Amino acid sequence: MPELPEVETVARRLQERLPGARIAGAEVFWARTISYPQPPERFVREVTGGEVARVGRRAKSVVVHLADGRVLTVALRMTGALIVAGPGAAADPHARVVFSLADGRELRFRDPRKFGRVGLYPGRGRRRVAEPFARHGPEPLAPSFSAARLAARLRRRSARLKTLLLDQSFIAGVGNIYADEALWRARLHPLRRADTLTEDEIRRLHRAVRAALREGLAGGGASYRDYVDPDGEPGLAAERMRVYRRTGEPCFRCGRRIERIVVGARATHFCPRCQPAPPEPGAAR
Ligand SMILES: [Zn+2]
């Protein structure tokens, strides 16, 4: 599933080619892809005529800002991709929504497994519907996301670190890959309880989350599953993973074999030496 670096990569590439484009029409091929407004015919009617001002990202969604203040949100989820197709490009059987641009290109939301969602929301201050990201936590790469802010959010939380990092209301944009990578960098076991971290460990976690995401971003995003960028190219970062999907391979820091456990139904990879297990419940500290 695309996480912050993959979605940010998609948004940046679209920002290079979409601003100024006018949406001349749209076709919805899978009604459930549209999250708002309903029905899809209304979505099509309302998005038609919109002009792209800029493309950004919030959490794991691409956010297309229209010139009139409205926002088109695209949650890629498991297999979603946004593709800019030139005039005359062959039809894509996995395209769920196709926006025809006035210059002859198409912006296609391709999504083989159909978990992705596309919505069109009013601009700030004019919202009669819930703000699409109201329940999301802070952006970890934002300058305002300080170690002190992370510390405040970790306090009084008894959840395991892995579970908490995946919780989008705790921190936005981190998923299974970068949660494992961040915990390895921070030398913290995925099952550590949030409220047991020392100040130094919190600082390490803060640095590690940002470093893991930045490196993923520098590599153009991970290329697992069906992730491709708007040119249809896979990302590069998969070869740079320190622990993710490296079960049984040596730790880059200490040489011990990477282990895999399941936390909250998610495969979790860690080094048993660099990331020492928390004491058993009830054990003397
Ligand atoms: Zn190690």
Side-chain angles (χ1 to χ4, degrees):
M1 174 155 173
E3 302 180 25
L4 187 157
E6 291 77 39
V7 180
E8 178 73 29
T9 300
V10 170
R12 288 181 183 180
R13 303 259 161 89
L14 292 174
Q15 169 64 20
E16 290 166 9
R17 59 198 75 180
L18 286 184
R22 199 170 60 77
I23 299 170
E27 258 188 291
V28 176
F29 297 97
W30 186 252
R32 281 167 58 191
T33 296
I34 304 301
S35 57
Y36 186 86
Q38 294 285 357
E41 294 73 27
R42 185 178 154 207
F43 171 86
V44 168
R45 203 168 55 240
E46 293 190 3
V47 80
T48 299
E51 187 188 317
V52 177
R54 65 183 178 89
V55 185
R57 177 196 58 79
R58 170 72 171 113
K60 297 179 194 172
S61 287
V62 173
V63 180
V64 179
H65 298 265
L66 300 182
D68 60 13
R70 294 178 300 162
V71 290
L72 187 62
T73 63
V74 182
L76 303 174
R77 300 273 174 84
M78 296 291 284
T79 59
L82 281 164
I83 310 275
V84 178
D92 182 344
H94 295 299
R96 308 303 174 200
V97 183
V98 173
F99 301 92
S100 308
L101 305 180
D103 58 21
R105 295 178 301 167
E106 286 181 349
L107 174 64
R108 298 171 173 177
F109 179 59
R110 142 180 245 279
D111 188 19
R113 292 185 64 186
K114 304 177 186 168
F115 291 111
R117 292 292 178 267
V118 176
L120 178 67
Y121 293 90
R124 273 181 205 285
R126 278 171 285 172
R127 292 201 166 112
R128 292 200 190 98
V129 292
E131 201 272 327
F133 302 106
R135 291 184 312 188
H136 283 74
E139 286 290 331
L141 292 184
S144 57
F145 186 72
S146 60
R149 194 164 172 208
L150 176 62
R153 295 182 74 78
L154 286 168
R155 216 170 288 141
R156 292 187 297 274
R157 297 294 296 260
S158 60
R160 308 294 180 181
L161 289 179
K162 176 67 185 272
T163 307
L164 212 46
L165 288 178
L166 294 182
D167 179 352
Q168 296 302 294
S169 68
F170 179 76
I171 184 173
V174 177
N176 210 36
I177 297 175
Y178 295 98
D180 285 5
E181 293 295 304
L183 289 171
W184 180 84
R185 283 170 181 264
R187 286 174 281 127
L188 292 169
H189 194 282
L191 293 179
R192 280 286 298 277
R193 274 175 51 142
D195 57 7
T196 66
L197 265 58
T198 65
E199 265 181 53
D200 179 55
E201 288 173 330
I202 292 171
R203 271 194 298 272
R204 264 158 39 199
L205 181 61
H206 175 256
R207 258 198 315 270
V209 166
R210 288 160 66 107
L213 292 170
R214 282 211 188 92
E215 189 176 283
L217 197 49
S223 60
Y224 294 109
R225 301 274 171 93
D226 300 299
Y227 167 79
V228 288
D229 74 10
D231 297 317
E233 296 290 328
L236 302 169
E239 305 87 61
R240 302 187 187 188
M241 295 299 163
R242 309 294 208 282
V243 281
Y244 185 75
R245 289 200 182 168
R246 294 193 63 247
T247 310
E249 291 175 45
C251 171
F252 286 123
R253 209 158 33 210
C254 76
R256 269 282 279 277
R257 288 184 191 284
I258 299 302
E259 291 185 6
R260 178 185 184 278
I261 54 173
V262 175
V263 182
R266 307 300 299 275
T268 297
H269 311 79
F270 70 103
C271 170
R273 183 179 288 158
C274 295
Q275 296 167 265
E280 293 295 322
R285 296 266 167 108

